[in-house]
Amino acid sequence: MKISEAAEDFLTVGRIAVTGVSRNPSGHGSNAVYDRLLERGYDVVAVNPNAEAIRDRPAYANLAAVPGGVDAVVIGTRPEHALETVKEAVELGIKKVWMHRAVDAGSVSPEAVTYGREHGLTVIDGGCPLMFGGASDGFHKVMCAVLKLTGQVPKTV
């Protein structure tokens, strides 16, 4: 599937969890994703085991703790934590996972990508939800085009 199709499908789900949202947002890509999705009207929740609230909204220790569950998850933590999140998504029946990556290694874990896909998940392994659809802006669209050339945004998933 083309990444644009996978991204569109991802961004049309009901509720999206964003892991790695920090109480100290400076320089955290997950905070940018969380904030923009909120601004654009998405039903989004923060996942951070060390915070009870982010921006005066509840934060949850893990995906299982979110009341009513979620339909998709953006992984914004370090890559070594991605597999744990993907395994939890599989256990909870969450079928869509996006491992955030911009100009650095981001949150992409090849082991977590393989595990997720082997268990029937759609795994977007790179790029950022802010590069697509209703969540995007001009800067992120340009960034997406450049990062596709370097391979940091996959062309297919």
Side-chain angles (χ1 to χ4, degrees):
M1 171 184 325
K2 290 181 179 181
I3 190 166
S4 58
E5 295 167 347
E8 181 179 333
D9 186 49
F10 186 96
L11 291 168
T12 60
V13 300
R15 179 185 264 177
I16 301 171
V18 181
T19 69
V21 180
S22 175
R23 292 170 291 183
N24 304 309
S26 181
H28 288 277
S30 52
N31 282 69
V33 171
Y34 176 76
D35 290 343
R36 172 68 60 79
L37 292 177
L38 278 174
E39 289 169 10
R40 299 288 168 97
Y42 289 88
D43 184 3
V44 62
V45 297
V47 174
N48 179 330
N50 302 308
E52 291 184 16
I54 303 286
R55 305 250 199 292
D56 297 323
R57 292 174 48 94
Y60 302 95
N62 54 43
L63 298 173
V66 178
V70 299
D71 302 297
V73 59
V74 176
I75 299 175
T77 55
R78 291 189 310 265
E80 59 265 26
H81 299 294
L83 181 59
E84 177 183 339
T85 302
V86 171
K87 285 182 176 181
E88 186 179 17
V90 168
E91 290 172 13
L92 296 171
I94 300 166
K95 297 292 186 188
K96 295 171 179 35
V97 173
W98 195 317
M99 293 178 196
H100 182 271
R101 176 172 58 197
V103 295
D104 58 10
S107 301
V108 177
S109 159
E111 182 182 14
V113 171
T114 299
Y115 184 89
R117 289 179 179 162
E118 286 175 349
H119 287 83
L121 274 61
T122 299
V123 179
I124 300 174
D125 54 335
C128 173
L130 305 187
M131 296 176 175
F132 298 91
S136 68
D137 58 29
F139 170 77
H140 280 91
K141 287 179 182 179
V142 170
M143 193 172 174
C144 182
V146 170
L147 294 178
K148 278 183 181 177
L149 295 173
T150 65
Q152 290 171 290
V153 173
K155 294 179 182 172
T156 61
V157 298

